[in-house]
Amino acid sequence: MSVVVANPSASDDYFRFFGLEQRFSIDLATLDKAYLAIQKEVHPDRHARGSDTEQRLAMQMATLANTTFQTLKNPIQRGLYLCKLHGVDARLETNTAMPAAFLMKQMDWRESLEECEEDLTALELLAQEVDQSKRDTLAEIAQAVDGAKNYPRAAELLRGLLFIDKFALELDDAISALV
């Protein structure tokens, strides 16, 4: 029995691996279907009676499918991967420069969180604002990548989205503490 994958030669391009177009905006249901089809084909249990080489290849392909799926499923990881494919390193570890307006918004959110940490209604309103900001940023990233092909701008937006996500987790924790 040999291991069959939709496009094993596309392992250097996660989108091609799943038969998807290189876009930030992807249909997650299509990604799920492609992932399940490949996993069904390469699952190590399916190749338990194969040769050592076939078993090893099946395991490698299953691992690759998991890695590619997790990368493409997460919008931040997908965006960073697209930037990398197009030669743009977001330099998350070293580049923390953000536009002044974004930094001011972050400071406002932090102050609001501190001021209303005991007020569930106020925290829920803040959560709605943060969620809207996240949706707006995701739309901007989609435009930067899929529309303008402006990967440096997408990388900047992705760095901002990391800040938004981190704050959203802190806000969720504060809300959970009151519920």
Side-chain angles (χ1 to χ4, degrees):
M1 178 184 294
S2 65
V3 176
V4 177
V5 174
N7 194 355
S9 65
S11 61
D12 61 332
D13 180 336
Y14 292 178
F15 291 92
R16 277 197 0 230
F17 183 79
F18 285 119
L20 300 172
E21 186 180 343
Q22 272 188 19
R23 296 180 49 80
F24 181 76
S25 301
I26 61 173
D27 180 9
L28 293 176
T30 301
L31 175 63
D32 285 342
K33 282 183 193 175
Y35 170 72
L36 291 173
I38 289 173
Q39 276 296 21
K40 181 180 177 186
E41 196 65 34
V42 300
H43 194 280
D45 289 349
R46 184 169 179 177
H47 301 278
R49 295 184 183 184
S51 69
D52 287 347
T53 301
E54 289 171 338
Q55 289 178 24
R56 188 174 55 254
L57 182 57
M59 181 61 76
Q60 289 171 345
M61 294 309 291
T63 300
L64 178 61
N66 285 332
T67 300
T68 59
F69 178 70
Q70 293 305 322
T71 299
L72 296 184
K73 186 175 182 178
N74 178 294
I76 293 173
Q77 295 304 314
R78 180 173 60 247
L80 292 172
Y81 180 71
L82 279 161
C83 287
K84 181 180 167 191
L85 282 177
H86 292 276
V88 175
D89 179 2
R91 300 185 339 264
L92 298 178
E93 302 82 22
T94 58
N95 187 349
T96 57
M98 299 301 297
F102 179 83
L103 294 174
M104 292 301 294
K105 177 56 73 180
Q106 290 285 307
M107 288 175 28
D108 287 346
W109 286 348
R110 293 215 171 273
E111 285 176 18
S112 295
L113 177 58
E114 288 176 19
E115 290 170 4
C116 53
E117 64 186 352
E118 299 298 322
D119 183 346
L120 184 59
T121 302
L123 290 176
E124 288 174 339
L125 286 172
L126 181 58
Q128 289 175 3
E129 180 183 334
V130 171
D131 187 57
Q132 183 61 53
S133 181
K134 180 177 180 172
R135 287 194 305 270
D136 292 347
T137 303
L138 286 167
E140 284 186 71
I141 294 168
Q143 172 53 34
V145 172
D146 299 341
K149 308 289 187 222
N150 185 344
Y151 298 98
R153 173 70 176 141
E156 177 184 302
L157 290 164
L158 287 158
R159 286 192 306 274
L161 187 56
L162 284 168
F163 281 98
I164 294 168
D165 271 0
K166 184 175 186 270
F167 181 78
L169 288 174
E170 293 173 33
L171 185 53
D172 286 346
D173 290 344
I175 290 171
S176 294
L178 294 178
V179 178

